Amino acid sequence: MTIQNEIQITPDLVEAHGLKPDEYERILSLIGREPTFTELGIFSAMWNEHCSYKSSKKWLRTLPTDGPQVIQGPGENAGVVDIGDGQCVVFKMESHNHPSYIEPYQGAATGVGGILRDVFTMGARPIAAMNALRFGEPDHPKTHHLVAGVVAGVGGYGNSFGVPTVGGEVEFDARYNGNCLVNAFAAGLANTDAIFYSKAEGIGLPVVYLGAKTGRDGVGGATMASAEFDESIEEKRPTVQVGDPFTEKCLLEACLELMQTGAVIAIQDMGAAGLTCSAVEMGAKGDLGIELDLDKVPVREENMSAYEMMLSESQERMLMVLRPDKEAEAEAIFHKWGLDFAIVGKTTGDLRFRIFHQGDEVANLPIKELGDEAPEYDRPWRETGLYSPLPADQVDEPEDYGAALLSLVGSANNASRRWVFEQYDTLIQGNSLQLPGGDAGVVRVDGHPSKALAFSSDVTPRYCEADPFEGGKQAVAECWRNMTATGAEPLAATDNLNFGNPERPEIMGQLVKAIEGIGEACSALGFPIVSGNVSLYNETNGEAILPTPTIAGVGLIPDWSKMATIGGAKEGDAVILLGGDGTHLGQSAYMRECLGQADGPPPPVDLYVERRNGKVVRSAIRNGQFTACHDISDGGLALCLAEMAIASGKGMQLDIDTEIGPAHAQLFGEDQARYVVTVSPDLANFVCINAEGAGVPFRRLGTIGGDRLTIGGLLSISVEELRGAYESWFPDYMDGTAALAGEG
Amino acid sequence: MKSAVLLLPGLNRDRDMIAALTRISGEPPVTVWQTETEIPDVDLIVIPGGFSYGDYLRCGAIAARMPVMEAVRKKAQAGTRILGVCNGFQILVEAGLLPGALMRNASLKFVCREVLLEVVNADTVFTGRYGKGDIIRCPVAHHDGNYFAAPDDLKRLEDRDQVVFRYAKGTNPNGSINDIAGVVNEAGNVLGMMPHPENLIEAAHGGTDGEALFAAALEIAA
C-alpha cells in the first residue's frame, strides 16, 4: 500500500497551518513554486512563533548575553557557564503552557522531559530542576484539577528520570484562569572540554536517529502552542505528546556513554517540530544540506505519511551526525540500552533539505532560508499607562497587625508549598544542600570538596502588569538577591517570557518594556541571559495572562560549609534588617491579601543599591558572620520574619520605631534590595559597622528567643500558630475537594 | 568486605548507592549489568532505588524476572548478604526473596521527606551497629511503599522478628501495615527497606544516621 503524501494546497489549509497570507506569499517567492503538503507542514513548523521567535527576536537581541564566565549564550540547546576547575553548568528554562492546560499530567511531564533533554544533549548530566507554575484563582473550577495534574506530571517525570527538584514557584491569580503556566528549568554539569553542539560538520556523513520510535503524537504541537485558546480547546488534546521518563533515562545514559567514545560530531534533540527542526538546525548551522529517507525512520504506528513523520513530536528522540568509523560502536551502546538506532540520512554539500518517502522526493527546500528567512516582525507596541505614586499614608492600616500577618502567612500565594515539593524527589543524587522553602535551592558540585551551585526562579507578575519595565528589572533583581542570600555569586540567568497575543500593541508593549527592564538589570548586575524561551499567545477568549517574564538564575558558592540558610538562627542572636526600612506599599501582597486592592506603582529597583547591598551580604556570609539570612520580598519585613521563625522554630522579640514612618509600611512594604540577617550577639556591632562603612542602611530589630514572634506593641503570635497557618492552606485546599485517603 | 551493585535500566539511585558504599568501605563496589548471569564473589549485593524498567506492569515485576535475578537468588541461598532499597525492596518482594507486597502509597502520591525509623530488630547483620529501640532519621522517596502482608504472613513476620524497621512517632508516610519500613528474610541475610539510608551518611546530607547500616553490613571496623 502506498501512503498518500499529496494533498491539494488551499487557502484554508494554509490558514489552518497558522500561516498568514503574506507569509504564504513569502514561501511562494522563496521556492518559486507551490509547496508540497509536506513542505507546507515544514514551513508551518519552522515559521510559527514558538520556533521562529518572529515577534520577539528584534527585542531579544538587546539582552546582555556575554561575560567572562559565559561559554555559550543563547542559540544552542542551553546556555553554558564556566564554574572553574574545568567544569561548567549547562542550563535553560522552557515553557509548556498550552499542553499543560489541555492535558496537565502529560503536558507538565513532557515539559520536564524536554528541558532535561536540552541539557544532556550538550553533554551535561542533569543535577537540578525547578518549576515555576502559575494557576488560576483557587476556586476557579479548573484550578484544582490543573494543580493536581501538573504537580503529579512534574514529579512523575523528574522523579523517574532521577533529577532532584530543588526549587520553583507556585502562584495563583485569576488572570491564569484560562491559561496556566508551566515553566520548567534544568541544569546539568559538564566538563568544559566536552560540550556538544548541534552544528554538523563534514559532507556525506551519516545522520542517525536515536531513542524512541516516532508516532503521531504531538503532530502540529508547536503550531498549536503559537495560537490563542478558545472553546475548541478540547479538540487539541491529540496534539499533546506523551512522555516516557524510563526511555529518557536510558537515552541520557546512552548519550553520555556514546559521547565519551568520540563518535559524536553533532547532536540535536527532537523537541518542538521534531525531526524537522532538529535536522534543519544541524544542517543550517553547519552550512550543509541534509537528506532524509523516511522509510528508515523507526515508527510505532502504521501508514504514517511524510507530513506526520516530519511534524511528530514524539518524545525521547535524538538526531546525531556520527563519525562513520564509530557507527558500530554507537549502535552497540544504543542497543545495550534498548533504544532504536537508525541511519536515516546523510549530510550533503548542496544546502538543500531533501526528504524522501517511498522512493519519492516529498520535500526539497533551501535549508538556510528555512530558518534565516523566517518572517520577522517589528510589531506595533505601546506603553501601558502607569499608576501615580501611592504614599503609604493613603493605604489603610490593618485593624489588627497579628491577624493581618496570619492571613498573609496562610494565603494561597504565600503559604508553604510543602504539599507540592514533597511530591518531587528533592534528595536524589545525594548532593542537595538546601531544599525548596528557603531563598534558593543549593546543590553540591559532585566530587568537589567545597563548591556548590544555587538556583532560584522568580518573577512578580503583578509588578509587571503595573509597570512592565520595573517588573522586568525586579524579576532579575529578586532572582539575583535570592542566590545572594545563600552566599552565592550569581553567575547567569535564563529567561522564560510568557505573554499574551503580541499582535495587540498593549501586549507587545509589555513584552518590549519587560525585556528592556530585564536587560538593564542584567547589565547592571553582571548577570547575563544565556538561554531562554518565549511563550506568546497565552490568552483565552481574548483575555491575556499577567505579563510573566520568569527569570531563573544560577549562582556559585565557593564553600558550602559557610552558606547561609533561612532557618539557622540561634537563641540570643541579634536580628538585623539590612537595606533600609519599608516604605512602599504599592502592588504589595498586603494590599492584595488584606485590602483586596491592586493600586500604585510596584516598588522601584535601584540597581546600584541592589548590587551594593548584595555585595555586603555575600561577603559577610562568606566570612561566616550570619547564622541565618533571608531576602525581603512578597509580604515585606513581617512575612520575612515569620518565614524565618517558622524555619528555625525559634521566636523573636523585636521592636520597630513608629516615629520613622507608618508601621504598616515598615512591616509590609516591599521595598527592594533588603535582607534580614541573624548574627551572634558578639558579632552584631561588627556587622552593623561594616554595613555602615559600605553605606548600607541597617536597623537592629531585636533578638532571637522565646516561642513567639513579637513586634513591639503591634503583634505577638506563637511560632506554632504561624506554622499552622503556613502549612495548612495547601493541603486543606487540595484535600478539601479531593477527599482522598489520608496518609498513614 | 567487598560489595556489588546491580545496574538495571531505569534505576536511578545507583550512583547514590555506589557513592555511599565507596565512602564507607573506601573501595568502589563492583557493578553488575542486567544481562549478566554470574555475580562475582562479594559479601554484599545491593539493589538500589529507582524505577527499573519504568515501573511498568508493577514496580519491580520486570526486574524480578531478569536473568541476573536468578544469580542473586543463588547468592541469597548461599548466604550472601543482599540489601534492597526502595525499588530494590520492591524487586526482592516480586522475586519472592522477601514476603509481602508493596502497594501504592495510601495518599496515592509520590512522597519525598524525612521520616523517623525505630530499629525493631538490632540483631541482624545489617542493624548490629544500632541499638534495639533506637530512633533514627532517614529520608523516603517513593510512590509505592505501602507494605502489606496477609494476616498469617504478618503474624509470622512479627513473631520471628523479621520486621527490622518501623516508621516511628506518627511518621508513616505511605500507610504501611504495622508501620513496617523494612523486613528481613528468615535466614536474616536479605533485607528490604523503603527508606534511603544512602542519602543520610555525611555532613552534607544533614546527618549520618544511615552510615551504621552500611558499616555493619560491610563489617567496617568501628
Side-chain angles (χ1 to χ4, degrees):
Chain A
M1 169 185 162
T2 309
I3 300 154
Q4 188 54 255
N5 279 322
E6 281 319 306
I7 288 179
Q8 184 63 38
I9 309 292
T10 64
D12 283 350
L13 191 65
V14 171
E15 197 191 333
H17 279 77
L19 291 162
K20 304 270 174 342
D22 57 321
E23 292 175 341
Y24 185 65
E25 285 304 317
R26 199 182 172 94
I27 292 172
L28 294 180
S29 68
L30 194 65
I31 63 175
R33 60 176 165 80
E34 186 176 84
T36 65
F37 180 54
T38 307
E39 288 173 339
L40 183 71
I42 290 171
F43 272 110
S44 127
M46 293 299 298
W47 285 12
N48 64 54
E49 188 69 52
H50 185 83
C51 293
S52 73
Y53 296 94
K54 59 191 171 189
S55 301
S56 57
K57 217 190 270 178
K58 171 184 160 83
W59 303 100
L60 293 175
R61 284 195 199 101
T62 66
L63 289 170
T65 57
D66 264 339
Q69 72 276 37
V70 177
I71 294 174
Q72 175 65 52
E76 278 290 337
N77 283 303
V80 183
V81 174
D82 199 340
I83 60 164
D85 302 312
Q87 285 185 301
C88 55
V89 56
V90 177
F91 65 97
K92 189 184 180 185
M93 189 174 231
E94 197 163 87
S95 61
H96 229 214
N97 304 334
H98 288 73
S100 300
Y101 191 77
I102 299 172
E103 213 303 283
Y105 185 96
Q106 290 299 342
T110 54
V112 172
I115 198 68
L116 288 167
R117 218 152 44 242
D118 278 337
V119 165
F120 71 76
T121 298
M122 299 200 71
R125 180 176 284 278
I127 57 159
M130 297 194 284
N131 289 278
L133 311 177
R134 292 191 157 76
F135 301 101
E137 55 196 335
D139 49 8
H140 185 271
K142 283 210 78 159
T143 301
H144 186 278
H145 156 77
L146 288 172
V147 173
V150 165
V151 170
V154 166
Y157 206 101
N159 298 344
S160 180
F161 178 83
V163 64
T165 299
V166 297
E169 306 170 81
V170 181
E171 186 169 6
F172 299 92
D173 191 287
R175 292 281 292 282
Y176 304 106
N177 278 352
N179 199 130
C180 64
L181 299 186
V182 174
N183 294 176
F185 168 95
L189 205 57
N191 290 333
T192 47
D193 60 359
I195 303 167
F196 290 81
Y197 297 98
S198 55
K199 179 184 169 185
E201 281 171 46
I203 292 169
L205 297 183
V207 173
V208 184
Y209 171 114
L210 305 148
K213 293 183 199 301
T214 295
R216 288 191 172 89
D217 48 335
V219 171
T223 306
M224 175 273 292
S226 304
E228 290 178 43
F229 280 163
D230 54 28
E231 286 80 4
S232 67
I233 178 176
E234 289 297 324
E235 295 165 17
K236 291 180 172 149
R237 201 188 300 270
T239 57
V240 180
Q241 318 87 317
V242 175
D244 176 9
F246 169 60
T247 299
E248 177 114 327
K249 165 75 170 152
C250 293
L251 188 61
L252 161 77
E253 300 300 341
C255 283
L256 294 185
E257 202 173 320
L258 179 58
M259 284 164 171
Q260 289 194 344
T261 67
V264 181
I265 295 172
I267 172 167
Q268 176 68 37
D269 78 299
M270 294 192 222
L275 199 48
T276 296
C277 260
S278 55
V280 170
E281 181 106 5
M282 286 171 76
K285 278 204 175 132
D287 284 322
L288 293 168
I290 299 273
E291 201 176 289
L292 297 179
D293 180 357
L294 298 184
D295 298 331
K296 308 252 173 69
V297 170
V299 291
R300 61 173 143 80
E301 293 183 60
E302 289 179 352
N303 302 325
M304 285 185 72
S305 68
Y307 175 94
E308 289 169 326
M309 276 194 256
M310 291 310 293
L311 295 193
S312 162
E313 291 191 3
S314 292
Q315 298 290 291
E316 295 94 23
R317 302 180 299 159
M318 289 277 184
L319 209 58
M320 291 189 192
V321 175
L322 292 182
R323 291 189 201 291
D325 55 319
K326 298 267 189 184
E327 252 175 57
E329 196 176 347
E331 188 167 2
I333 289 171
F334 271 75
H335 285 163
K336 170 185 156 190
W337 288 98
L339 299 166
D340 268 297
F341 176 102
I343 297 170
V344 295
K346 61 178 189 217
T347 57
T348 64
D350 63 3
L351 286 174
R352 304 296 294 182
F353 186 42
R354 303 173 79 192
I355 313 292
F356 294 89
H357 188 217
Q358 305 170 121
D360 295 333
E361 186 179 84
V362 293
N364 185 340
L365 297 169
I367 200 161
K368 298 282 277 186
E369 285 76 0
L370 264 176
D372 296 350
E373 293 297 317
E376 185 178 333
Y377 295 121
D378 183 1
R379 296 198 187 275
W381 59 277
R382 65 178 163 78
E383 271 194 68
T384 337
L386 299 178
Y387 287 92
S388 28
L390 179 69
D393 56 17
Q394 288 179 22
V395 177
D396 290 342
E397 271 199 73
E399 281 176 23
D400 178 338
Y401 275 89
L405 177 56
L406 273 174
S407 74
L408 266 177
V409 166
S411 67
N413 279 320
N414 296 300
S416 168
R417 272 55 187 132
R418 183 177 304 280
W419 184 92
V420 175
F421 68 72
E422 284 195 345
Q423 293 186 59
Y424 303 154
D425 196 333
T426 49
L427 300 172
I428 190 160
Q429 299 187 12
N431 294 314
S432 302
L433 301 174
Q434 288 198 38
L435 306 182
D439 287 274
V442 179
V443 170
R444 172 173 62 167
V445 174
D446 197 33
H448 192 279
S450 68
K451 279 198 311 200
L453 295 167
F455 302 95
S456 182
S457 150
D458 300 277
V459 60
T460 312
R462 63 179 191 278
Y463 293 177
C464 299
E465 168 87 354
D467 184 339
F469 174 72
E470 283 298 330
K473 276 166 66 182
Q474 196 273 342
V476 175
E478 186 172 347
C479 179
W480 188 89
R481 197 184 312 138
N482 273 326
M483 287 183 284
T484 298
T486 67
E489 180 84 44
L491 291 176
T494 176
D495 60 345
N496 197 154
L497 309 176
N498 310 272
F499 290 83
N501 180 347
E503 294 162 43
R504 290 165 49 192
E506 66 276 18
I507 300 288
M508 195 60 211
Q510 292 175 339
L511 177 65
V512 169
K513 296 306 286 183
I515 291 177
E516 197 183 318
I518 291 168
E520 186 166 310
C522 287
S523 295
L525 298 172
F527 191 43
I529 300 286
V530 296
S531 58
N533 163 245
V534 180
S535 172
L536 302 177
Y537 298 94
N538 289 291
E539 303 204 356
T540 300
N541 295 328
E543 198 193 8
I545 58 161
L546 290 173
T548 312
T550 313
I551 303 294
V554 178
L556 180 64
I557 297 175
D559 180 359
W560 58 262
S561 71
K562 292 200 174 122
M563 72 183 174
T565 63
I566 179 176
K570 306 252 183 318
E571 198 81 13
D573 280 354
V575 181
I576 301 171
L577 163 64
L578 292 176
D581 299 308
T583 61
H584 187 104
L585 287 170
Q587 299 301 332
S588 60
Y590 166 71
M591 285 186 73
R592 175 159 94 167
E593 301 298 335
C594 300
L595 307 178
Q597 296 169 2
D599 198 5
V605 182
D606 182 327
L607 294 162
Y608 167 77
V609 169
E610 189 74 61
R611 190 173 185 136
R612 180 197 66 195
N613 295 3
K615 197 172 163 195
V616 166
V617 166
R618 200 156 39 239
S619 143
I621 292 171
R622 291 183 182 186
N623 289 318
Q625 292 164 6
F626 298 163
T627 51
C629 179
H630 188 25
D631 92 306
I632 297 181
S633 55
D634 262 11
L637 174 65
L639 189 56
C640 171
L641 293 167
E643 288 169 353
M644 293 178 86
I646 293 165
S648 66
K650 293 185 172 62
M652 300 181 177
Q653 310 307 313
L654 314 172
D655 272 305
I656 61 163
D657 180 358
T658 47
E659 297 291 306
I660 57 166
H664 65 329
Q666 288 192 60
L667 287 192
F668 300 119
E670 296 180 5
D671 307 63
Q672 300 290 296
R674 301 190 301 150
Y675 305 80
V676 171
V677 301
T678 62
V679 181
S680 77
D682 52 320
L683 275 177
N685 280 335
F686 180 77
V687 165
C688 292
I689 290 166
N690 271 350
E692 189 164 33
V696 177
F698 66 91
R699 187 173 298 282
R700 289 183 70 155
L701 298 172
T703 52
I704 299 289
D707 54 10
R708 303 180 74 79
L709 172 62
T710 303
I711 305 179
L714 294 171
L715 63 87
S716 181
I717 311 171
S718 78
V719 176
E720 271 323 295
E721 192 178 354
L722 284 170
R723 188 195 312 276
Y726 184 63
E727 293 292 352
S728 59
W729 185 86
F730 228 113
D732 286 354
Y733 170 62
M734 293 308 296
D735 296 344
T737 38
L740 296 173
E743 285 177 357
Chain B
M1 291 178 86
K2 290 191 184 308
S3 60
V5 170
L6 237 57
L7 297 184
L8 310 172
L11 290 183
N12 60 20
R13 262 186 171 76
D14 47 330
R15 294 163 63 86
D16 305 43
M17 189 59 79
I18 289 167
L21 291 167
T22 307
R23 185 183 175 89
I24 288 162
S25 71
E27 177 177 5
V30 183
T31 57
V32 182
W33 182 241
Q34 58 167 341
T35 50
E36 290 177 42
T37 49
E38 293 285 328
I39 296 177
D41 216 9
V42 294
D43 309 286
L44 172 69
I45 299 169
V46 184
I47 312 178
F51 295 74
S52 58
Y53 308 96
D55 271 0
Y56 296 138
L57 190 59
R58 216 169 43 233
C59 300
I62 299 175
R65 285 149 186 87
M66 292 304 287
V68 72
M69 281 308 292
E70 224 14 76
V72 171
R73 189 189 311 278
K74 279 185 203 145
K75 290 284 188 184
Q77 280 158 2
T80 304
R81 296 168 186 182
I82 316 277
L83 170 65
V85 171
C86 200
N87 199 208
F89 185 14
Q90 295 161 344
I91 293 168
L92 290 173
V93 166
E94 281 287 340
L97 289 170
L98 288 172
L102 289 151
M103 308 187 300
R104 184 129 297 194
N105 294 347
S107 66
L108 306 180
K109 294 194 289 284
F110 186 94
V111 59
C112 176
R113 68 166 76 120
E114 189 174 297
V115 298
L116 296 174
L117 298 180
E118 181 193 348
V119 180
V120 185
N121 180 349
D123 278 337
T124 75
V125 292
F126 302 97
T127 52
R129 304 278 171 100
Y130 299 113
K132 183 176 165 65
D134 279 1
I135 303 290
I136 62 167
R137 297 165 50 207
C138 201
V140 295
H142 58 250
H143 206 305
D144 299 79
N146 184 353
Y147 187 78
F148 179 81
D152 290 353
D153 291 340
L154 192 61
K155 184 170 185 309
R156 196 175 316 125
L157 275 173
E158 297 281 7
D159 289 349
R160 298 181 187 183
D161 277 341
Q162 284 177 252
V163 176
V164 172
F165 295 112
R166 261 191 243 284
Y167 301 109
K169 299 186 176 176
T171 63
N172 184 340
N174 52 35
S176 283
I177 196 162
N178 288 13
D179 295 326
I180 290 172
V183 298
V184 75
N185 66 345
E186 268 192 70
N189 67 320
V190 179
L191 171 67
M193 62 191 294
M194 286 313 295
H196 290 282
E198 74 276 20
N199 282 145
L200 203 68
I201 57 154
E202 51 174 318
H205 297 157
T208 56
D209 291 15
E211 196 178 0
L213 187 141
F214 298 102
L218 290 165
E219 294 180 20
I220 305 296

